[in-house]
Amino acid sequence: MSDFSSFDFTGHRALVRVDFNVPLDDQFNITDDTRMTATIPTIKKILETGGSAILMSHLGRPKDGPADKYSLKHLVKHLQELLGANTKVFFADDCIGDQAGMNASMLRGGEVLLLENLRFYKEEEQGDKGFAEKLSKLGDVYVNDAFGTAHRAHASTAVIAEFFPKDKRMFGLLMEAEVKSAEKVLHQSEKPFCAIIGGAKVSDKILIIENLLERATDIIIGGGMAYTFLKARGGKIGNSLCEDDRMDTALEILEKARQKNVSIHLPETSVIADKFAADANSKESPSDQIPDGWMGLDIGGKAIGIFSEIISKSKTILWNGPMGVFEMDKFAAGTKAIALAVADATANGAFSLVGGGDSVAAVNKFNLFDKVSYVSTGGGALLEYFEGKELPGIAAIK
Ligand code: AMP
């Protein structure tokens, strides 16, 4: 692979896989443009050093070919705004075919061509070689900047790389930063290394916890998933979220942690509620003595104190998943306190990586985006990386 930062793009047509899979409202307004803004530095660098950029992405999950709802044409205006009026942005209403080929070949240095949704072809998700080859003809350099889809072995994210010589394929700046920070946490973590895992379901997080047992010093478990562990240990959890069929796994994880000398911390106390609603009655309770009819919707004050103490002593922190139902203000205090503890530890020299949709939303909600070391744009991809899997999008470039 080549090094993006030192590559001279003069005269090159760079085919860039971006992740423009942004949420749109009914009027096709972009409601969160994070994924677009995150990749703008990569595009600008190509243009500023004399290259042109052909951008390819998927948007949503179109089922049967082209559908207006999933057209990338809805993104052109905003892309133009992000790149500035001096940059010419063209749109090709097909990602392969004669027209796309012509549009691409006519591009001049400093110009951008956005291709129509890759997933209008089922061959994209099938990782079809012929489709990848057709795409590859549009550019002479391949740049992958789509960390969000790096865990997919799709035509444009993985298969396409083989049609470019090693010195003409590379990570973009976003991908490079994502990979660097994830590698730092997983392979070069300064100890103590604390992983904070939250969210709704144990079943989604079993593999990541098992892999972290090999590397972390402490694993803090919060959110809805904590109650499966608490019940498995014999606690009374009332109506809290629980996956009964995962209780054995939870016990196995606790036992493995003991053998490996990794401390797993469950919330000693919870904020419990008499219904799943913003206007529920609520009070604090020991997490293993929750009365019937009540449910744990946030970690309690004592848990916040213990968790914050562990975080403050850590040198490496990975955070994935909220500590409670932070979307409701009444149950957001635990997630907010943990976010602040991560920010404090970062200010004191720890390296902190926050990833996974909801923890990123939490960091944004509490305005702490700039107070942690790195906020990942990859939900599923980051999770799979920390599960110890090789991501096809990364492997293909390397
Ligand atoms: P995940 O996508 O698995 O990371 O889960 C995130 C979701 O878990 C958020 O929407 C939270 O509201 C929810 N959540 C967190 N804690 C709890 C809890 N104690 N009970 C129910 N849902 C929760």
Side-chain angles (χ1 to χ4, degrees):
M1 65 182 271
S2 247
D3 173 47
F4 180 86
S5 299
S6 55
F7 194 87
D8 180 5
F9 283 94
T10 311
H12 285 294
R13 272 184 287 132
L15 184 59
V16 192
R17 179 48 160 107
V18 292
D19 180 5
F20 280 0
N21 184 27
V22 290
L24 299 170
D25 66 15
D26 294 348
Q27 307 300 312
F28 302 111
N29 297 307
I30 300 164
T31 53
D32 180 352
D33 71 348
T34 310
R35 288 182 175 144
M36 290 179 79
T37 53
T39 201
I40 291 297
T42 297
I43 302 169
K44 282 198 166 157
K45 159 87 194 340
I46 293 168
L47 305 180
E48 279 160 11
T49 55
S52 56
I54 298 145
L55 310 180
M56 52 180 178
S57 177
H58 72 288
L59 176 65
R61 299 195 163 173
K63 284 277 160 284
D64 301 304
D68 185 69
K69 185 176 165 198
Y70 298 115
S71 173
L72 277 151
K73 72 179 181 203
H74 303 303
L75 274 51
V76 173
K77 189 167 154 268
H78 193 56
L79 178 63
Q80 180 72 71
E81 283 163 10
L82 291 174
L83 289 171
N86 291 334
T87 302
K88 270 197 183 149
V89 178
F90 301 94
F91 179 69
D93 57 11
D94 196 350
C95 61
I96 52 172
D98 292 345
Q99 189 63 46
M102 199 129 78
N103 288 349
S105 64
M106 279 162 55
L107 274 193
R108 295 192 213 168
E111 295 179 345
V112 173
L113 173 67
L114 176 65
L115 303 177
E116 182 55 288
N117 197 337
L118 294 161
R119 289 197 188 165
F120 285 172
Y121 289 88
K122 60 182 183 329
E123 289 86 346
E124 162 66 356
E125 289 184 80
Q126 290 167 345
D128 184 84
K129 238 179 155 166
F131 179 67
E133 187 174 12
K134 282 181 194 158
L135 287 171
S136 74
K137 300 272 186 258
L138 297 173
D140 58 80
V141 179
Y142 172 61
V143 178
N144 191 347
D145 213 25
F147 184 68
T149 48
H151 56 316
R152 310 279 187 216
H154 294 170
S156 70
T157 60
V159 182
I160 193 170
E162 72 180 75
F163 296 102
F164 292 85
K166 278 196 173 140
D167 62 342
K168 296 274 169 49
R169 59 193 203 216
M170 60 199 85
F171 294 148
L173 294 172
L174 172 65
M175 186 79 144
E176 208 172 71
E178 293 275 2
V179 172
K180 223 171 164 176
S181 68
E183 276 179 355
K184 189 173 161 99
V185 170
L186 200 59
H187 299 298
Q188 302 135 30
S189 60
E190 207 183 321
K191 303 285 185 302
F193 168 17
C194 169
I196 309 161
I197 309 292
K201 286 164 123 191
V202 179
S203 44
D204 292 343
K205 310 277 164 95
I206 288 169
L207 294 176
I208 188 172
I209 295 176
E210 286 191 334
N211 197 35
L212 289 169
L213 285 174
E214 306 297 327
R215 303 170 199 275
T217 322
D218 298 274
I219 302 179
I220 288 173
I221 297 181
M225 60 185 284
Y227 299 98
T228 301
F229 284 87
L230 289 157
K231 185 172 174 187
R233 266 193 350 194
K236 262 189 75 206
I237 60 161
N239 294 18
S240 305
L241 215 58
C242 184
E243 289 170 273
D244 285 328
D245 57 339
R246 300 294 172 161
M247 288 206 294
D248 287 345
T249 314
L251 287 178
E252 279 163 28
I253 287 173
L254 293 172
E255 176 53 24
K256 265 192 215 161
R258 204 185 53 77
Q259 287 168 11
K260 291 183 184 295
N261 228 356
V262 177
S263 305
I264 293 201
H265 308 273
L266 297 168
E268 278 198 26
T269 56
S270 291
V271 176
I272 61 171
D274 59 357
K275 60 179 175 181
F276 189 88
D279 63 348
N281 292 307
S282 65
K283 58 184 179 185
E284 289 241 352
S285 160
S287 298
D288 56 359
Q289 293 166 46
I290 300 176
D292 289 341
W294 291 74
M295 61 189 84
L297 293 187
D298 195 8
I299 56 173
K302 191 166 175 194
I304 288 176
I306 295 170
F307 289 180
S308 302
E309 177 79 18
I310 296 160
I311 293 166
S312 73
K313 291 188 178 134
S314 302
K315 286 269 158 263
T316 305
I317 301 162
L318 169 69
W319 182 18
N320 174 283
M323 296 289 101
V325 186
F326 74 103
E327 298 93 334
M328 300 180 198
D329 285 344
K330 201 164 193 170
F331 309 110
T335 302
K336 183 174 185 181
I338 294 314
L340 285 168
V342 174
D344 280 349
T346 310
N348 288 326
F351 182 82
S352 56
L353 168 60
V354 182
D358 278 313
S359 26
V360 175
V363 162
N364 284 333
K365 178 170 171 156
F366 306 125
N367 291 321
L368 294 169
F369 197 90
D370 297 331
K371 302 270 191 297
V372 297
S373 309
Y374 194 78
V375 179
S376 175
T377 56
L382 192 79
L383 214 58
E384 289 200 18
Y385 183 88
F386 280 101
E387 286 171 357
K389 293 180 186 150
E390 183 173 61
L391 306 188
I394 294 178
I397 293 267
K398 281 189 169 168

